Amino acid sequence: MSSHTRITRREFVQTGTGLVIGFYLPRRLGAALRPAEAAFAPNAWLRVGTDGIVTLTVDKSEMGQGSQTGLAMILAEELEADWSTVRLGPMPENPVAWSRTMRTGGSNAIRSSWEPLRRAGATAREMLIAAAAEAWNVDRTTCRAENGAVIHGPTRRRLPYGKLATRAAQLAVPSDVPLKDPKDFHLIGKRVPRLDTPSKVDGSAVFGIDVKVPGMLVASIERSPVLGGRVKRVNADKAKALPGVRHVVALEPSSWIGTNGAWAAGCAAGVAVVADTYWQAVQGRRALEIEWDEGEAAGLDSVGIRAQLATLAERPGVVAQTMGDPAAALAGAARHIEAVYEVPFLHHATMEPMNCTAHVRADGVEVWAPTQNQGDAQRVAAVVTGLASEKVRIHTTFSGGGFGRRLEPDFVSEAVRVSKAVAAPVKVIWTREDDMRNGFYRPTTYNRFAAGLDGSGRPVAWTHRIAGTPLRLKFGPLEKGLDDSLVDGAIDLPYAIPNVLVDQVVLELPAVPRGPWRSVGVSHNAFVTECFLDEVAAAAGRDPFELRRELLRDKARHRRTLELAADKAGWGTPLPAGRGRGIALAEWGPTVCAEVAEVSVDPSGTVRVHRVTCAVDCGPAVNLGQIEAQMQGGIVFGLTAALYGEITIERGRVVQGNFDTYRMVRMPEAPVVEVYVVPSTDAQGGTGEPGVPPIAPAVCNAIFALTGRRVRKLPIGKLT
């Protein structure tokens, strides 16, 4: 009798297209990530092997954004490495012992690593040059580093880094080294293929959902259908009788509201079915008989939430920003404009649902997770097990999207709790519906605006009241009642308006988890402020681009970005019949992004975005291709939210469960996107977030330019 070994499609692809006969060699987890032995490691960031391979230790997660390649470029530039020898090493497994916080969010990967990686590369470069000078017994100043080797100028002798590694390792590490002049960069600022692409093409890349460890079981969890609900009673007899089902574990909920400044896990109540395979776990889950205590949130719905926010917006709130005397300026204005704008809860909708593998032992914990937040993953695992943080090892895998969702440690907490309960390694896999109905949602807000114009049509007063559901409760009670994430992008507008008031009132809604969503507060405040500014321009009889440019007279970075977008979009030139243009600007500090959208509306009211022109000033550019891809991806991500994105609640339940009810922009709907990077030496910013905020207002402003209709509530949906 022959025996059969099951292999996955991914593993089959790894074998190539040739004939597979008689044997199967399973991949070892992480084998592709194991670096060459290094003889020279002058700091924690890099190693140079005797084979000449340069390995970078990365501490920023790869979620598809390509930042790890950018980090390697920064290091290689200063090191003067041969790019073909540069490799990405594994991430540190003990975050508490690492030199800085291990968290990837806020578009911080490149900008937070720019200085330390440049210094790390320069330090190694100088030591390798010193080693070569010592080997040749020549003056150090006659040597230079170039393309992975040290060259002696007078004699043209050349020693590759691999030959110098052992000698360099014996030298003292210098405390202060010169950095390259940016005019001498030959790698930074170019388009460089991503280092993670080959493994994703050949199937060797390990995402969280791919993890396999010896003796691993798989779990699927039935969670409370009502936000904040609890298990009242469970009968697991039918589930336990099914083939492959090993354990059934009840899980208590944990609050998403934090204390002492720490992120809370925020796990829903549930019952985990643990089995030999994922499908067996799902079948067992379906056989569970659970009675739920639905709790106070059972009467919660989106209509009621909106009504509460509208009522709150009638009263003054906590002042977030004030300039001049906006009340007096409004009273004396020649013309008044008022409007109300609304945005809904939104879900991150990562393509890879949440998942985590954990193995809890008496002497330690191992976690394999597609996380953005290794530090809190380690902390939560330590709390759950009662072990010291140093006993927890976090193995970071590739992530199929993050957008802020994987900053949360809830999926790590669940896997660790289940593994601890069954005394075995367990992989917890969420379904798409699990993911969508147990998210950490972007807040919903209700915004009241008023503006005043003087006799010449110039804006002299601006007030903005934000009634919203705060997400900063994740860290504990709001200081002085203010959630800075709710007002981010509303305060400190770049426009020269002399009298401004921004205040905020909050509806806490403890049953509805909230968390950072790509570009956080700027994602909704750019929409409401840029659309209302368009209303101000229309009331003043001004071109919306020209008014913005005039009001940006003291903001050179914003102004040049706006001008580049308008110029490349052909602002002011004729459009084909049935199309309109809109423009918007936003800052995800300090990166500035301006976008021009070209839209049409068909007779059924369907909005089609044909073209988006994007200009971005992110300071010194590292990988131009990466920047362009991030802008393109951010625009499509933001366009999805603008056209379709909305999480609604009925009877305490999240209505949307999959991509049929939470639609994405699909390829036939995607616009042509043109990206122009502003040459800049200003402060360096990130690129993951900035492309998202301007697209919704640019589209809605284009709709107004075409139809005369204002869209003041998202999603746009169909215009009727």
Side-chain angles (χ1 to χ4, degrees), residues 75-403:
L75 181 81
E77 182 70 73
E78 287 289 348
L79 181 59
E80 292 287 358
D82 174 354
W83 181 247
S84 68
T85 67
V86 176
R87 305 288 186 270
L88 297 174
M91 295 183 71
E93 296 174 0
N94 184 10
V96 74
W98 185 241
S99 58
R100 60 179 182 172
T101 300
M102 288 184 65
R103 181 181 299 154
T104 309
S107 297
N108 74 348
I110 296 293
R111 58 177 169 159
S112 69
S113 304
W114 174 256
E115 189 71 18
L117 285 182
R118 288 190 69 190
R119 294 202 172 278
T123 298
R125 179 194 70 222
E126 294 303 303
M127 294 176 71
L128 288 161
I129 292 173
E134 182 182 275
W136 289 322
N137 194 24
V138 299
D139 188 339
R140 157 71 181 77
T141 61
T142 63
C143 302
R144 72 178 189 276
E146 181 181 296
N147 198 33
V150 177
I151 298 171
H152 182 228
T155 64
R156 303 297 297 169
R157 283 179 293 179
R158 182 180 184 275
L159 276 174
Y161 285 173
K163 299 293 186 182
L164 292 167
T166 301
R167 183 182 289 271
Q170 309 306 312
L171 301 179
V173 178
S175 58
D176 190 24
V177 293
L179 299 180
K180 289 176 67 173
D181 188 318
K183 69 178 176 57
D184 297 325
F185 288 166
H186 56 83
L187 189 62
I188 287 175
K190 303 295 191 297
R191 288 176 176 80
V192 175
R194 286 173 48 167
L195 294 175
D196 57 329
T197 298
S199 67
K200 291 176 178 176
V201 172
D202 67 20
S204 62
V206 178
F207 290 80
I209 211 163
D210 298 324
V211 168
K212 295 179 183 177
V213 298
M216 184 184 77
L217 301 174
V218 183
S220 184
I221 301 175
E222 182 71 13
R223 297 172 183 83
S224 171
V226 176
L227 298 168
R230 307 178 79 91
V231 177
K232 182 185 290 185
R233 183 188 63 84
V234 58
N235 183 343
D237 292 345
K238 293 180 181 178
K240 290 178 178 178
L242 291 175
V245 173
R246 300 291 191 92
H247 308 276
V248 175
V249 179
L251 299 174
E252 287 294 314
S254 63
S255 176
W256 68 273
I257 297 175
T259 57
N260 301 322
W263 290 53
C267 300
V271 180
V273 176
V274 186
D276 294 332
T277 70
Y278 174 68
W279 186 240
Q280 289 170 336
V282 169
Q283 293 292 85
R285 173 181 170 181
R286 291 174 179 173
L288 293 171
E289 297 174 358
I290 306 175
E291 182 181 353
W292 299 98
D293 177 355
E294 297 186 351
E296 297 180 0
L300 196 65
D301 62 59
S302 293
V303 173
I305 293 170
R306 180 192 180 277
Q308 291 183 72
L309 291 173
T311 299
L312 286 171
E314 296 293 333
R315 71 186 195 208
V318 178
V319 174
Q321 182 191 20
T322 183
M323 293 191 303
D325 189 342
L330 276 173
R335 184 167 182 185
H336 295 79
I337 307 102
E338 295 184 359
V340 169
Y341 281 83
E342 302 176 55
V343 298
F345 288 119
L346 287 178
H347 177 53
H348 302 80
T350 62
M351 290 307 295
E352 179 192 19
M354 299 303 106
N355 62 84
C356 181
T357 302
H359 188 189
V360 178
R361 304 179 307 275
D363 61 345
V365 184
E366 287 193 271
V367 173
W368 295 263
T371 178
Q372 294 179 243
N373 189 346
Q374 291 79 7
D376 280 336
Q378 184 183 45
R379 178 183 59 81
V380 164
V383 169
V384 167
T385 59
L387 296 169
S389 291
E390 293 81 1
K391 297 290 187 180
V392 178
R393 288 294 181 268
I394 305 296
H395 307 280
T396 306
T397 66
F398 284 124
S399 299
F403 317 125

Side-chain angles (χ1 to χ4, degrees), residues 529-569:
T529 58
E530 286 292 296
C531 284
F532 186 62
L533 185 62
D534 235 58
E535 295 204 43
V536 170
R542 298 290 305 278
D543 177 275
F545 161 65
E546 294 294 349
L547 178 63
R548 283 177 172 80
R549 181 162 65 171
E550 177 185 311
L551 295 176
L552 292 172
R553 57 183 174 267
D554 299 324
K555 299 286 186 177
R557 188 172 191 169
H558 296 72
R559 182 167 174 150
R560 70 183 179 230
T561 307
L562 181 81
E563 290 173 340
L564 180 61
D567 176 64
K568 296 298 185 181

Side-chain angles (χ1 to χ4, degrees), residues 461-530:
W462 174 284
T463 66
H464 179 188
R465 177 165 301 145
I466 304 168
T469 52
L471 70 81
R472 292 296 185 194
L473 293 176
K474 294 184 62 58
F475 306 103
L478 301 179
E479 186 175 351
K480 299 180 180 179
L482 186 67
D483 183 340
D484 61 339
S485 72
L486 278 182
V487 299
D488 191 17
I491 59 175
D492 296 325
L493 291 177
Y495 303 112
I497 302 172
N499 302 285
V500 175
L501 172 65
V502 180
D503 62 353
Q504 173 223 272
V505 290
V506 299
L507 176 64
E508 291 199 347
L509 286 184
V512 184
R514 274 96 68 192
W517 185 92
R518 194 174 184 179
S519 72
V520 201
V522 186
S523 72
H524 46 86
N525 283 325
F527 163 65
V528 300
T529 58
E530 286 292 296

Side-chain angles (χ1 to χ4, degrees), residues 563-606:
E563 290 173 340
L564 180 61
D567 176 64
K568 296 298 185 181
W571 189 269
T573 62
L575 279 166
R579 294 195 184 182
R581 281 195 194 100
I583 193 166
L585 175 84
E587 177 184 353
W588 176 263
T591 296
V592 178
C593 184
E595 293 168 11
V596 177
E598 187 177 312
V599 309
S600 66
V601 181
D602 72 16
S604 72
T606 299

Side-chain angles (χ1 to χ4, degrees), residues 423-434:
V426 176
K427 181 199 293 186
V428 176
I429 301 176
W430 296 37
T431 67
R432 178 69 60 198
E433 288 76 11
D434 293 337

